[in-house]
Amino acid sequence: MQDTLRRLIEELAVVGAELTRGPDVHGTPSRLAAATCISMRTALYVGTFKPPRSLVVALLEGTKTVEQNAERFVAATGDLFIAPAGILLGVDSRPDPDSGCYRAVVIDLDPDAVAAVVRRHPTLHRGSSVLGPFDPTRAQRLPASPHALQAVLHFVRTLMLPDAHAALLQHRLEDLVLALALQQVGDLEPERAHATQARLDLVLAVRNLIRGDPAAPWPAELVARRLAVSAATLRRRLATAGLTLREVRAQERMALARTLLSRPGANVSEVAQRCGYQSASKFARQYRRWTGSTPSQRALHD
């Protein structure tokens, strides 16, 4: 599965490069959707924005941190980010630390076209007549999936054709909405979704759990239960990867801390709480041990 995901991400990157170099597909006669590719080598904190149409964002490289009210999630390479129209979001896009590049394919969808797909498939009508099982009031992350990425790839390729027939575009749009909706229906059962991911890559599953709520304590027994493995199996498989649960937890919290501290006006005490530390001094010691600098130095530097 990992090879398939890697191949699809590479193919999407090629399509993204064509979007960047070639004609702007926003000029496509169809009103169903438009697509573009964002590529950059510097971090970009967008602040708050309100998308006029629903967005589907496929992350090809780097990370995208999304905040809405008190909720926060991080989408990484291969993940998809769904942003319903008209909701207020805070978005922070970061390049991959190894390649130094951030890339994402962004599709904006016509709400009437999506609603028509949902009406044709009543089993998907679990949350909204416009977005099917997706909550129309909040942004959501879909973990990397071959079916979803394949649907994104087919849709964007068809959208880029200069003479694409409207019926073909409608068919590709239906494929895309169905792929995303069916994955979301499965993800509405978190225990099953986390257990499936754990079978594929337990370390990634643990990281995703912690990223979903980095301030939570995440004891081994709770993590194991959420991933449908024993605590002994959890420790053994982490050890095989040269890690402990404490180290993974600290890594994810420190990654979040670096992102939050880089924002203008960052408050060290608030960042400490967001990262699960009740004591700012304990947070500062941990941050210095992991990064070699103090939180205040990071905030001032950025």
Side-chain angles (χ1 to χ4, degrees), residues 229-251:
V229 298
S230 69
T233 297
L234 172 68
R235 294 188 181 95
R236 183 174 65 253
R237 290 176 63 180
L238 286 173
T240 300
L243 294 165
T244 66
L245 179 58
R246 181 189 296 271
E247 288 171 337
V248 176
R249 195 166 52 221
Q251 287 172 0

Side-chain angles (χ1 to χ4, degrees), residues 89-270:
L89 300 172
V91 177
D92 189 358
S93 302
R94 296 272 156 176
D96 179 88
D98 295 326
S99 68
C101 187
Y102 169 91
R103 285 183 296 174
V105 169
V106 182
I107 303 171
D108 69 76
L109 301 172
D110 175 68
D112 293 334
V114 177
V117 173
V118 175
R119 285 195 298 271
R120 284 195 295 275
H121 298 272
T123 55
L124 300 180
H125 193 330
R126 297 180 56 175
S128 162
S129 60
V130 176
L131 284 176
F134 293 97
D135 185 341
T137 66
R138 55 187 288 269
Q140 289 134 100
R141 179 186 72 90
L142 287 180
S145 153
H147 294 293
L149 289 176
Q150 185 76 65
V152 170
L153 181 62
H154 282 171
F155 182 76
V156 176
R157 278 178 170 167
T158 304
L159 193 65
M160 291 174 66
L161 295 174
D163 55 351
H165 193 281
L168 180 58
L169 281 170
Q170 181 68 47
H171 178 67
R172 290 288 187 247
L173 174 65
E174 186 159 341
D175 284 347
L176 174 62
V177 173
L178 281 173
L180 300 179
L182 289 171
Q183 182 175 346
Q184 174 69 355
V185 168
D187 287 348
L188 291 176
E189 305 171 26
E191 300 297 331
R192 174 179 156 191
H194 288 312
T196 299
Q197 187 183 56
R199 287 196 297 271
L200 299 173
D201 187 336
L202 184 133
V203 176
L204 180 59
V206 172
R207 291 190 185 281
N208 282 337
L209 272 180
I210 296 170
R211 287 171 188 169
D213 188 3
W218 291 116
E221 291 72 17
L222 175 59
V223 173
R225 185 165 66 250
R226 291 287 297 274
L227 300 181
V229 298
S230 69
T233 297
L234 172 68
R235 294 188 181 95
R236 183 174 65 253
R237 290 176 63 180
L238 286 173
T240 300
L243 294 165
T244 66
L245 179 58
R246 181 189 296 271
E247 288 171 337
V248 176
R249 195 166 52 221
Q251 287 172 0
E252 294 304 322
R253 288 175 171 175
M254 291 300 104
L256 171 60
R258 288 175 64 86
T259 297
L260 295 178
L261 289 168
S262 67
R263 295 178 181 175
N267 181 285
V268 174
S269 295
E270 292 177 359

Side-chain angles (χ1 to χ4, degrees), residues 48 73 143:
T48 56
F73 66 79

